[in-house]
Amino acid sequence: MSEQSLLHEIETKREKLNSIAWNKPLFSDEVVRLSRELDQLLNKYDSTLSATKA
């Protein structure tokens, strides 16, 4: 996955998470799931950046 497509996916997931978090409790299954998915994307992005700098 390219860096640009990963950034786009991160932004899309972040927007969805923010939207849902305004309407549901922060501990709801959906909010927690989206938060974990966003964390995974951010970790993947960080790994990608680290690999290109090495």
Side-chain angles (χ1 to χ4, degrees), residues 19-33:
S19 174
I20 291 173
W22 277 102
N23 299 311
K24 294 190 176 192
L26 294 179
F27 51 83
S28 71
D29 289 342
E30 190 172 12
V31 171
V32 171
R33 179 183 55 79

Side-chain angles (χ1 to χ4, degrees), residues 10-51:
I10 288 169
E11 275 307 309
T12 302
K13 188 73 65 175
R14 182 179 288 146
E15 288 171 5
K16 185 173 183 179
L17 175 60
N18 283 333
S19 174
I20 291 173
W22 277 102
N23 299 311
K24 294 190 176 192
L26 294 179
F27 51 83
S28 71
D29 289 342
E30 190 172 12
V31 171
V32 171
R33 179 183 55 79
L34 287 169
S35 179
R36 285 183 180 151
E37 290 174 5
L38 179 58
D39 285 346
Q40 289 173 345
L41 288 170
L42 290 168
N43 288 336
K44 188 173 184 178
Y45 181 74
D46 186 51
S47 294
T48 302
L49 285 183
S50 296

